[in-house]
Amino acid sequence: MIFKKSVLTGCRSHKKWMVVAGLSIALGFSDPQSAWSQSEKMTLSYHVFVHGMHVLNVNTSYALGSEQYSIDMHMKTSGFLSWFMKTDMLMKARGRFAGMAAEPETFEMHRETSDKADTKNIIYKNKIPELQSPNPAKELPSAKQRKGALDAMSMLIQLLHQVRATHRCDSSNRIFDGTRHLSIFTARTAGEQKIPSAGPFRWGKTALRCDFSWQVIKSFKDDGNPGELEKPQAGSIWFEQIDNMGLVAIRFELTTATMGQINMLLNKTPKYQP
């Protein structure tokens, strides 16, 4: 019963699942008539575990070029969690790179749960994410506070781009996904390490580990307890070289106050299209 309560309490805040979704490294596609024809395209599948129990499936892919990126993601409740609630989330992000930095152009999210549906659309203007949703929140971070912020998917694809180019992940970015929160994601290089053996899936023997923290830095008084919201969430991501597909995010761990330990593991060999 304790497990049921902790999972259901955590799932009431879709912000937690946005973290999970962002850390999936997203999902993208290519138009063969566009510049994307020269970029690599990959599809991946992950299983998400809470307290060791399988609760989510995340199917992702991306088109990652030297100058552009395109990302989509589909996340759906599974196993134990689906007995109590249904969540089906689709996310898309498009943008370009300026060196190592991502410059997003659009972000879309559509989420359906057992009792409601929610849509968010963001267009970036002069590096300011502008919410285009039909029913935006009454109070959001100011344009000045949002300037330069990325959506979670663009932030993670930027991290992948950096890791592949430099084999390092030291970075810090502000995150805005159309919510009433402004967050900061900070990553640091922990080096090549043996991959943890916990969990049903393992890939190889060693991988590049990136430790990170995710913290709300701006929220509003009617969002609950600001002190709880602003506690940093700590975790790690492991990137492994898989055949000719480059470095791939194979595992992530995140510890949250409401849900405890969350693990997301690559559950099958990625599909690569040159």
Side-chain angles (χ1 to χ4, degrees):
M1 186 63 66
I2 293 175
F3 171 71
K4 293 179 183 178
K5 182 178 180 181
S6 65
V7 170
L8 293 173
T9 299
C11 290
R12 291 193 185 106
S13 170
H14 98 277
K15 189 66 177 178
K16 297 295 184 186
W17 297 124
M18 292 292 284
V19 175
V20 174
L23 291 170
S24 68
I25 313 296
L27 167 155
F29 59 84
S30 289
D31 176 355
Q33 302 302 317
S34 73
W36 291 114
S37 61
Q38 299 303 314
S39 65
E40 61 181 11
K41 300 173 285 291
M42 191 181 300
T43 62
L44 307 97
S45 175
Y46 296 89
H47 285 173
V48 178
F49 299 86
V50 176
H51 296 288
M53 301 190 72
H54 179 202
V55 296
L56 289 170
N57 290 329
V58 180
N59 294 311
T60 71
S61 68
Y62 52 80
L64 178 61
S66 60
E67 297 181 353
Q68 295 174 296
Y69 64 89
S70 177
I71 312 163
D72 299 331
M73 184 278 303
H74 183 204
M75 181 176 70
K76 192 172 184 178
T77 47
S78 179
F80 177 83
L81 185 60
S82 64
W83 299 354
F84 301 93
M85 67 170 291
K86 304 290 184 183
T87 295
D88 196 328
M89 184 185 294
L90 296 171
M91 302 172 69
K92 299 180 180 182
R94 308 287 183 264
R96 297 178 177 274
F97 291 114
M100 291 296 103
E103 294 187 345
E105 296 172 350
T106 62
F107 170 79
E108 303 173 30
M109 185 276 287
H110 180 73
R111 180 176 64 109
E112 294 184 1
T113 65
S114 302
D115 57 354
K116 65 178 181 179
D118 184 26
T119 297
K120 288 184 172 63
N121 296 306
I122 290 176
I123 296 177
Y124 289 80
K125 299 178 180 179
N126 298 318
K127 297 187 177 182
I128 300 175
E130 298 286 356
L131 190 61
Q132 307 293 307
S133 301
N135 298 304
K138 294 181 180 179
E139 191 175 14
L140 293 172
S142 67
K144 182 178 180 179
Q145 292 169 328
R146 285 182 276 120
K147 188 175 180 63
L150 309 178
D151 58 86
M153 297 176 76
S154 294
M155 179 272 295
L156 264 297
I157 208 71
Q158 174 182 282
L159 181 62
L160 178 62
H161 180 61
Q162 177 185 348
V163 163
R164 287 188 167 190
T166 68
H167 217 68
R168 298 194 63 81
C169 43
D170 306 280
S171 59
S172 183
N173 293 99
R174 285 175 298 126
I175 311 300
F176 175 73
D177 284 314
T179 70
R180 298 154 74 85
H181 308 291
L182 191 67
S183 304
I184 188 165
F185 178 92
T186 302
R188 67 176 183 84
T189 307
E192 292 280 345
Q193 295 189 9
K194 182 178 179 180
I195 301 169
S197 59
F201 305 109
R202 284 179 19 172
W203 300 86
K205 295 181 179 179
T206 61
L208 175 65
R209 174 177 166 176
C210 297
D211 292 337
F212 68 86
S213 66
W214 185 302
Q215 184 176 13
V216 174
I217 57 175
K218 178 66 177 177
S219 60
F220 298 95
K221 62 183 179 180
D222 57 346
D223 280 334
N225 185 338
E228 288 296 320
L229 284 171
E230 294 172 7
K231 289 182 179 179
Q233 315 293 312
S236 300
I237 308 174
W238 283 262
F239 295 93
E240 183 179 351
Q241 178 78 32
I242 298 181
D243 300 328
N244 65 335
M245 291 175 274
L247 287 169
V248 176
I250 61 167
R251 178 188 184 94
F252 100 83
E253 297 178 354
L254 175 68
T255 301
T256 71
T258 56
M259 299 178 68
Q261 184 74 28
I262 300 173
N263 294 319
M264 185 164 72
L265 308 176
L266 187 68
N267 77 308
K268 63 179 66 173
T269 302
K271 295 181 179 180
Y272 171 77
Q273 297 175 322

